[in-house]
Amino acid sequence: MSVLLSELKDGVLTLTLNRPEAINAFNTAMLQGLAQAMREAAENQDVRVVLIRGAGRGFCSGQDLREFEGQTISYKAHLKNYAGAIAGIATLDKPVIAAIHGAAAGAGLSLALACDLRLAASDAVLTTGFSRIALIPDAGMNYHLPRIVGQAKAFELMALSPRLNAEQALELGLVNRVIPGERFAEEVEKLALELAQGPTRTFGLIKQALRKSATSSLEEMLEVEAELQELAGQSQDHKEGIAAFYEKRAPRFIGR
């Protein structure tokens, strides 16, 4: 059975982490599959949104330590597998949604933080986890977490590794929405379809601008905005948006 399931429907590429017996803990095959899926999503114009979810009772419990049981592990070498997956998600010029139910722990939380939107079921539990086995956070957590919650709160979450419920995670800005469990699948699909019907190229340009803003001055960002707006203004969707505005109707975006 594949450790990563893939389904493309109505512009939404759903990737399901599929190791439910291990709460979808990462192994090398899953990480390499995620990286490959991101490369293919970038090339496939039919993919307009990526949705990442977990099979069974949780999102992802982090690295499966049993994969290396009895071995001497080189973390530096193994983290190259994470780099491909995490960078692929963060730099994909299409929206990526994490649908979190149950546990999102360790590198599983890192995966969620790399996504553009995080939707949490009411039963979600988030924790950094790494310090509990005397490791530093990895898989991009040191990049994404302080940008979301700030340096001091990031250190607290990393060092003390509290278990945060969905409402606590929402208060900190770690998730965008909390959805009751009985409506979770329906609401996740609804948002994914809404984004899939939007101006995909524009969403990608928004992601580019936000990535650059982290290390740019105001003057630099004004220039970046001008360059990216020029590209947005040349898109078919912009022309459709203008036409729909004047015709007083809903736009029909094609993602180009």
Side-chain angles (χ1 to χ4, degrees), residues 51-131:
L51 171 63
I52 302 177
R53 60 181 294 273
R57 59 194 176 95
F59 178 69
C60 178
S61 58
Q63 172 64 40
D64 189 346
L65 298 175
R66 292 172 295 181
E67 182 178 12
F68 306 109
E69 190 172 359
Q71 304 176 38
T72 300
I73 180 175
S74 167
Y75 285 106
K76 185 175 182 180
H78 180 57
L79 285 175
K80 291 180 180 179
N81 293 311
Y82 278 98
I86 298 299
I89 291 167
T91 61
L92 181 69
D93 284 339
K94 301 172 184 182
V96 184
I97 304 169
I100 306 168
H101 75 290
L109 178 56
S110 297
L111 171 68
L113 296 177
C115 297
D116 303 302
L117 292 170
R118 289 166 293 282
L119 306 182
S122 52
D123 71 342
V125 178
L126 284 64
T127 185
T128 58
F130 292 93
S131 65

Side-chain angles (χ1 to χ4, degrees), residues 7-256:
E7 180 186 21
L8 177 58
K9 181 180 178 182
D10 298 328
V12 180
L13 176 64
T14 300
L15 300 175
T16 303
L17 310 180
N18 191 39
R19 300 188 69 219
E21 73 286 354
I23 316 181
N24 303 311
F26 288 121
N27 60 14
T28 300
M30 184 186 288
L31 291 168
Q32 292 177 346
L34 270 173
Q36 179 62 28
M38 290 304 110
R39 289 191 291 268
E40 293 175 358
E43 297 297 324
N44 188 347
Q45 290 189 337
D46 291 335
V47 175
R48 297 177 66 177
V49 174
V50 176
L51 171 63
I52 302 177
R53 60 181 294 273
R57 59 194 176 95
F59 178 69
C60 178
S61 58
Q63 172 64 40
D64 189 346
L65 298 175
R66 292 172 295 181
E67 182 178 12
F68 306 109
E69 190 172 359
Q71 304 176 38
T72 300
I73 180 175
S74 167
Y75 285 106
K76 185 175 182 180
H78 180 57
L79 285 175
K80 291 180 180 179
N81 293 311
Y82 278 98
I86 298 299
I89 291 167
T91 61
L92 181 69
D93 284 339
K94 301 172 184 182
V96 184
I97 304 169
I100 306 168
H101 75 290
L109 178 56
S110 297
L111 171 68
L113 296 177
C115 297
D116 303 302
L117 292 170
R118 289 166 293 282
L119 306 182
S122 52
D123 71 342
V125 178
L126 284 64
T127 185
T128 58
F130 292 93
S131 65
R132 295 187 182 277
I133 55 172
L135 288 176
I136 72 161
D138 59 29
M141 188 180 290
N142 289 289
Y143 180 87
H144 291 114
L145 186 59
R147 284 168 168 76
I148 295 171
V149 302
Q151 292 284 121
K153 181 57 71 172
F155 178 80
E156 177 186 346
L157 296 177
M158 290 174 173
L160 301 180
S161 193
R163 289 167 55 89
L164 303 173
N165 62 34
E167 292 296 337
Q168 290 171 320
L170 179 64
E171 185 177 349
L172 289 173
L174 291 173
V175 300
N176 298 88
R177 302 179 189 177
V178 174
I179 303 167
E182 66 273 13
R183 299 206 329 264
F184 186 60
E186 175 188 350
E187 291 296 325
V188 168
E189 180 180 5
K190 181 179 178 182
L191 178 61
L193 287 172
E194 180 181 342
L195 288 170
Q197 294 166 4
T200 310
R201 180 167 169 75
T202 300
F203 293 153
L205 295 174
I206 290 171
K207 290 183 67 169
Q208 289 184 37
L210 290 174
R211 287 197 299 271
K212 291 179 181 295
S213 73
T215 57
S216 299
S217 66
L218 172 60
E219 290 75 14
E220 290 168 334
M221 280 310 301
L222 290 170
E223 182 62 30
V224 167
E225 288 172 350
E227 293 174 1
L228 296 181
Q229 195 71 296
E230 183 70 15
L231 295 175
Q234 296 170 8
S235 69
Q236 295 180 50
D237 280 344
H238 173 61
K239 294 179 177 64
E240 164 62 13
I242 293 296
F245 175 81
Y246 284 118
E247 295 168 15
K248 295 181 171 53
R249 59 172 174 82
R252 296 182 289 271
F253 295 127
I254 62 172
R256 300 174 192 173

